[in-house]
Amino acid sequence: MAEAHFFFAAWPPEDVLSSLRQRLANLGQQDWPPGSRCELPMRWHLTLYYLGTADPKPLQSRLDAWRPGPFPITVTFDRIGAFHGGRVLWIGAPEAPTALQQWRQGWLAGDSAKAGPFVPHVTVLRAPRPRPWVERVMAPLPWTLRELTLVASSGGHYTVLHRWQMSSG
């Protein structure tokens, strides 16, 4: 059995999902490295904070006391970029809005290993080999985060463990 990894994520609503699909289609397969595979849209998500392989039971008391403010937060995706030498193609934002950065800081509390740069993104494509990729600007796509989830990932499968609905009031 694969070891589970846990993370906080937001899943795109249907209108954002549709726009992400269109943006990927507009790229054209000629831009995809040979052997690339598109991530299934049902797996597209915005990882907000990666918790790792920690046992979720001790995390439960922290979650029970947690209050998810300051949501909702709008993130504007306006880039197509890549990680890992062009092997992971993403659609995202050059940086997180201040409110989202502050929310993440609350979870970082003493974890300097995760305090590096945070690039809000949705992974849309994986290539089998590194390939040079130049980040591209695209038409802005605003996404208002209205729901957060705690997710377990094991063996390539995601299981939503908890959902928080966000409201402005």
Side-chain angles (χ1 to χ4, degrees):
M1 181 178 221
E3 184 175 37
H5 295 254
F6 302 92
F7 59 94
F8 285 109
W11 301 89
E14 191 53 47
D15 62 325
V16 172
L17 190 60
S18 177
S19 291
L20 288 169
R21 281 186 189 118
Q22 186 61 49
R23 302 280 174 31
L24 185 58
N26 288 346
L27 261 182
Q29 289 192 347
Q30 70 275 7
D31 289 334
W32 300 6
S36 296
R37 66 176 172 80
C38 184
E39 283 289 330
L40 296 173
M42 63 188 245
R43 293 179 49 88
W44 290 356
H45 66 277
L46 169 60
T47 299
L48 298 168
Y49 184 78
Y50 177 73
L51 295 161
T53 58
D55 178 1
K57 289 180 181 138
L59 178 63
Q60 191 61 50
S61 63
R62 186 174 178 190
L63 290 173
D64 290 343
W66 181 62
R67 297 297 170 254
F71 289 88
I73 294 173
T74 298
V75 179
T76 300
F77 285 6
D78 63 357
R79 300 279 189 281
I80 301 172
F83 295 132
H84 307 293
R87 291 187 64 206
V88 176
L89 192 71
W90 53 262
I91 295 176
E95 64 181 36
T98 301
L100 185 54
Q101 291 176 23
Q102 291 170 344
W103 177 84
R104 283 179 42 82
Q105 288 302 317
W107 279 96
L108 290 172
D111 191 350
S112 60
K114 295 180 187 167
F118 171 57
V119 178
H121 69 280
V122 171
T123 298
V124 293
L125 187 78
R126 294 187 187 274
R129 299 176 276 304
R131 174 178 182 227
W133 179 266
V134 176
E135 189 172 290
R136 302 175 188 182
V137 175
M138 65 176 206
L141 171 59
W143 174 2
T144 300
L145 310 178
R146 298 194 183 279
E147 178 184 74
L148 267 65
T149 58
L150 174 62
V151 180
S153 173
S154 180
H157 299 284
Y158 297 150
T159 303
V160 174
L161 302 174
H162 193 81
R163 294 179 187 275
W164 291 271
Q165 296 297 318
M166 305 303 146
S167 65
S168 54

